[in-house]
Amino acid sequence: MPTQPDQLRPLPVSPGPVHNETLGSYLHRLAIANNRSAGVLARLLGPLPPEFSPLSDTTATWTPRSPHGLATLAGRPVTELARALPALADFLNPDGPQPRPHRVIGRPCRCCTAHRSPTASLVILVLPAHQHLCWRHQRWTRSTHDIPLTHLPEVIPAQRRLDQLARRHRHLGQALDLARKIVEEWSFSGMPIDLASEWTDRLDRIERHPASMRIPAEDRHHLAAFPEIAVLANLIIDPPTHTIDPKELYIATTAELRGRLVHEVCE
């Protein structure tokens, strides 16, 4: 296969990129569709990044000619690819828009993957940190397998509240990370309010799904505690008091958390 961008030829099969897809994911799908090695395709654009995989999303080894090489291989205009691949867009316009909010590596649900890329077993995306589910198919996607939310209706309004918060607060991802760490600490050191029955009930409903035993326990517990994590993240961003005294802040936050959770149960 030629190694100079000007000598490259379009590959016979050209799957379209998925919105917010990583470069590694798109190159792997392009390679699979054409029975090629993803590593070989990546080397045509520049030196192979360390630990190259579908999760890779770096242009650190690229040259100014790399975007043209990718467009040639894919048989698609650079502008079309840049609309879908954030790393490519950033490479083409390093002084462009404001930095994106906190993002994480994730994936679409299996139904969306099958619709957009029938031959791919997995598509990897760069997603907003607050996005935990597929709205269209009502599936939790923050794990190795989808979990249908038919029997977990309380997860839907929790995600909706996070969507609303994300429009007003750029640092929601950091608040979510902290909220999850606090909830994990509660599991070991005791909770300020009794949530054991709610979490146990949700875990029972999660474990009824056939794929649940193939999902790591940490991911199942994350889903079980997600409504409370969402409430706590909101309280971290907008605390009920501005006191700097840790004890007063803890008491006020605990009282507010209890009140909000009771209100949600009654809705």
Side-chain angles (χ1 to χ4, degrees), residues 116-137:
R116 295 300 303 275
S117 185
T119 61
S121 59
L122 190 63
V123 175
I124 302 298
L125 308 178
V126 183
L127 298 171
H130 71 277
Q131 183 176 327
H132 292 73
L133 56 87
C134 171
W135 279 112
R136 175 178 294 179
H137 298 106

Side-chain angles (χ1 to χ4, degrees), residues 68-259:
H68 172 70
L70 178 60
T72 300
L73 289 171
R76 295 173 181 269
V78 172
T79 51
E80 176 187 339
L81 296 176
R83 284 194 295 269
L85 307 174
L88 174 58
D90 290 345
F91 183 86
L92 293 170
N93 191 14
D95 300 321
Q98 293 292 323
R100 296 182 181 88
H102 186 41
R103 302 240 162 174
V104 298
I105 296 296
R107 62 177 182 81
C109 78
R110 301 291 179 179
C111 296
C112 290
T113 299
H115 174 70
R116 295 300 303 275
S117 185
T119 61
S121 59
L122 190 63
V123 175
I124 302 298
L125 308 178
V126 183
L127 298 171
H130 71 277
Q131 183 176 327
H132 292 73
L133 56 87
C134 171
W135 279 112
R136 175 178 294 179
H137 298 106
Q138 302 284 285
R139 289 170 176 260
W140 178 267
T141 57
R142 281 293 184 91
S143 189
T144 52
H145 294 78
D146 295 348
I147 301 178
L149 297 174
T150 307
H151 301 297
L152 292 160
E154 61 269 49
V155 172
I156 304 297
Q159 179 64 69
R160 186 175 295 111
R161 275 185 285 275
L162 290 183
D163 291 348
Q164 294 168 350
L165 278 174
R167 289 193 284 270
R168 303 195 305 270
H169 300 280
R170 293 186 57 212
H171 301 294
L172 179 57
Q174 298 173 10
L176 274 170
D177 288 342
L178 179 56
R180 187 173 178 182
K181 290 177 182 176
I182 292 172
V183 168
E184 289 173 354
E185 290 177 2
W186 286 353
S187 300
F188 294 105
S189 60
M191 293 173 279
I193 58 178
D194 185 10
L195 296 169
S197 60
E198 285 87 347
W199 290 352
T200 299
D201 175 61
R202 286 187 204 131
L203 281 172
D204 288 342
R205 284 182 273 156
I206 292 167
E207 289 169 0
R208 290 175 197 153
H209 186 261
S212 65
M213 291 301 102
R214 301 197 299 273
I215 296 171
E218 180 182 359
D219 292 344
R220 297 200 302 271
H221 284 85
H222 182 195
L223 173 54
F226 180 69
E228 289 73 37
I229 290 172
V231 171
L232 189 55
N234 192 351
L235 291 174
I236 291 169
I237 289 177
D238 186 17
T241 177
H242 296 290
T243 179
I244 61 174
D245 180 76
K247 183 177 180 179
E248 290 183 13
L249 181 59
Y250 176 82
I251 292 172
T253 301
T254 301
E256 184 71 13
L257 179 63
R258 180 183 292 109

